[in-house]
Amino acid sequence: MTRTRIVIAGAGIGGLTAAAALGGDHDIEIYERADAVRGLTGSGLTIWGNAVAALGRIGLGETVQELGAPLESQLVVTETGGPLSESPIGRLQREHADMGVGARRQALLDMLLRAAGPERVRYRRRVTGYRETPEGVTVLLDGGAEVHADILIGADGLRSVVRGQLLGDGDPEPLKHMVWRGISDSAAHYPVGTVLMVYGRQATRMVAWAVDDDSVCWSIARNGAPARNSLSANDLKDQLRTFIRGFPEANQHILESTPPERLLRSDLFARRRLDRLVAGRVALLGDAGHAMPTVFGQGACMAIEDAVVLADSLAAEGPEAGLKEYERRRMPRLRWVREQVFKVSQFQEWESPLLVTMRNTVMRTMPASRQEAMWRTMFSFDVGRPAGERADAAG
Ligand SMILES: Cc1cc2nc3c(=O)[nH]c(=O)nc-3n(C[C@H](O)[C@H](O)[C@H](O)COP(=O)(O)OP(=O)(O)OC[C@H]3O[C@@H](n4cnc5c(N)ncnc54)[C@H](O)[C@@H]3O)c2cc1C
């Protein structure tokens, strides 16, 4: 087998998973603009069963499950604790994929870095563009250096330089809401195993899940345009207290037990369109290809799925045809997931009492079977090979 030279732009979740999935059969270099592989302090993730199943295909399924706490059920309530919906996500994940976990972002990144091969990452090296050549692709780095490769994978996140050149579609679009997040130092009063979502007044919503026995990762979202945060850490915490006044005790407690210096505020952006992931010898994955709102916590999970499918497609078809095959396999899945995410993101932004009452009534009365059907599809990871090949691979 000829070794393919692969350059990956970005050592985030997608780029590292791609390197791990491609394994030792290729010559891989990862260029990362930062000086380390870093998850922001106070940031945790839901790593759903579909992503665990994808990681399972590259031998990391059990390791990722050991990073955090299982996601057994999802409960959505109003700010006074009135139930809106409850989903047995643990059972559904076991039936359709593997058990998902809540984990710290840094723990996931550390695991992926070990699997990718730390020696493959070149830090403080920013990719600035690329040039396609008859033999492959020349990747341009800051400082004027160039590296030659057979393919370039753009895993450089929301404001991807590789995407900028490949699609030329400008900046991502700001969403109508922003988030504050943190990880508490105590899980007292919190129903561990539950993803708890509270829909409050003025479209304030808080979602939380445990990442271990003593820590709960949470985020509070409110409508508003991106803005500079001028508050001190303590004032920020006071502001968040007012946002969730009247919310269930578990929510108040996790905010209280999060040190102010570990609070994070983020403006949110997304890419509305998804037309392509590949052109010639260049492919996009993760947020570079399809950044979306954080509803359902599937962004990183999709980056993981992308990476595993990309590696599988390259193994099956070789460099150029493999990239086309990757795009062909990923598009239907990504389109479906994004459709759910954008739809629910819009419902969550509703503030008018009439619309809120309507939404809550729909949620309370929706048949469990409909909800479950949505979750089943969400959790089902399929590498996407034709059925015959899948049977061969299983054998
Ligand atoms: C508040 C919030 C909560 C979220 N919660 C969840 C969740 O619970 N579950 C989930 O699945 N997803 C979640 N997501 C989404 C998830 O964070 C992203 O989808 C995921 O990080 C995308 O991974 P990535 O590797 O594509 O990009 P990134 O994580 O952004 O990594 C890109 C990497 O590329 C590097 N880079 C950028 N430009 C260059 C360049 N020009 N040259 C070299 N390197 C470069 C960056 O430094 C970075 O290391 C959340 C997102 C937000 C904002």
Side-chain angles (χ1 to χ4, degrees):
M1 180 181 174
T2 2
R3 293 175 73 80
T4 307
R5 289 164 305 160
I6 300 175
V7 165
I8 300 176
I13 293 168
L16 292 174
T17 310
L22 288 159
D25 296 336
H26 307 282
D27 295 322
I28 298 175
E29 285 183 316
I30 311 173
Y31 289 91
E32 168 57 49
R33 69 179 172 188
D35 58 3
V37 166
R38 200 178 293 124
L40 293 167
T41 324
S43 115
L45 292 170
T46 48
I47 308 166
W48 293 106
N50 48 301
V52 175
L55 289 168
R57 284 191 64 95
I58 58 169
L60 295 172
E62 284 176 19
T63 319
V64 72
Q65 283 175 321
E66 284 163 11
L67 297 182
L71 302 166
E72 287 289 353
S73 69
Q74 169 158 295
L75 183 61
V76 188
V77 298
T78 63
E79 67 188 18
T80 53
L84 292 174
S85 79
E86 184 162 12
S87 306
I89 51 174
R91 170 169 66 75
L92 295 169
Q93 288 179 101
R94 283 191 195 90
E95 280 171 19
H96 297 278
D98 283 310
M99 192 60 194
V101 288
R104 290 168 196 270
R105 188 180 283 259
Q106 189 66 52
L108 177 67
L109 283 167
D110 290 346
M111 179 201 85
L112 292 173
L113 179 62
R114 280 193 298 276
E119 70 289 350
R120 288 163 146 176
V121 187
R122 316 271 177 270
Y123 294 104
R124 296 193 199 88
R125 301 306 301 271
R126 189 170 172 277
V127 172
T128 56
Y130 63 87
R131 216 171 35 239
E132 292 213 61
T133 65
E135 304 78 44
V137 57
T138 298
V139 182
L140 315 177
L141 301 170
D142 53 0
E146 300 186 350
V147 276
H148 304 286
D150 297 308
I151 59 176
L152 166 63
I153 300 175
D156 47 343
L158 184 67
R159 295 178 192 283
S160 165
V161 166
V162 179
R163 180 193 178 102
Q165 188 169 339
L166 193 144
L167 295 177
D169 61 350
D171 288 336
E173 196 178 305
L175 296 178
K176 293 201 187 81
H177 60 270
M178 52 192 128
V179 299
W180 294 261
R181 50 197 162 132
I183 298 182
S184 73
D185 283 339
S186 158
H189 310 288
Y190 191 81
V192 174
T194 302
V195 180
L196 178 63
M197 170 74 116
V198 183
Y199 281 180
R201 63 197 172 277
Q202 293 172 315
T204 304
R205 54 261 186 211
M206 181 168 186
V207 62
W209 59 89
V211 292
D212 59 43
D213 289 346
D214 300 314
S215 325
V216 181
C217 155
W218 57 265
S219 73
I220 294 172
R222 299 254 295 185
N223 293 348
R228 204 173 279 279
N229 178 29
S230 51
L231 295 178
S232 70
N234 284 321
D235 288 348
L236 182 57
K237 191 158 174 179
D238 277 345
Q239 187 185 49
L240 294 177
R241 282 189 185 106
T242 64
F243 289 168
I244 64 160
R245 189 170 294 139
F247 275 36
E249 190 185 358
N251 296 80
Q252 314 274 351
H253 184 80
I254 52 179
L255 174 60
E256 285 314 319
S257 55
T258 303
E261 65 278 8
R262 292 216 308 262
L263 297 173
L264 280 175
R265 177 188 175 287
S266 314
D267 296 320
L268 296 178
F269 299 83
R271 299 281 183 182
R272 289 267 163 199
R273 293 183 64 95
L274 173 60
D275 300 321
R276 298 170 75 176
L277 292 172
V278 169
R281 297 288 187 131
V282 184
L284 302 173
L285 66 74
D287 278 5
H290 44 73
M292 57 190 181
T294 59
V295 175
F296 293 121
Q298 279 282 356
C301 298
M302 288 300 117
I304 290 169
E305 286 193 9
D306 284 350
V308 171
V309 174
L310 176 60
D312 193 77
S313 303
L314 289 173
E317 307 276 345
E320 218 165 343
L323 292 189
K324 287 202 186 84
E325 174 66 5
Y326 156 69
E327 183 181 67
R328 186 192 68 74
R329 291 191 202 174
R330 286 305 285 157
M331 278 300 191
R333 167 85 170 149
L334 287 168
R335 288 205 171 109
W336 182 87
V337 170
R338 284 165 53 85
E339 193 186 324
Q340 315 312 308
V341 167
F342 278 101
K343 198 164 61 187
V344 174
S345 177
Q346 199 184 346
F347 298 159
Q348 289 186 343
E349 285 168 358
W350 283 351
E351 290 192 50
S352 122
L354 187 67
L355 287 176
V356 167
T357 305
M358 202 172 80
R359 178 198 65 203
N360 291 357
T361 308
V362 169
M363 287 182 75
R364 268 193 216 99
T365 53
M366 186 184 290
S369 57
R370 233 180 105 192
Q371 291 248 21
E372 290 192 9
M374 191 280 297
W375 285 118
R376 281 197 176 93
T377 312
M378 190 70 85
F379 294 146
S380 299
F381 169 72
D382 183 348
V383 79
R385 278 193 208 161
E389 278 186 51
R390 274 206 301 276
D392 294 349

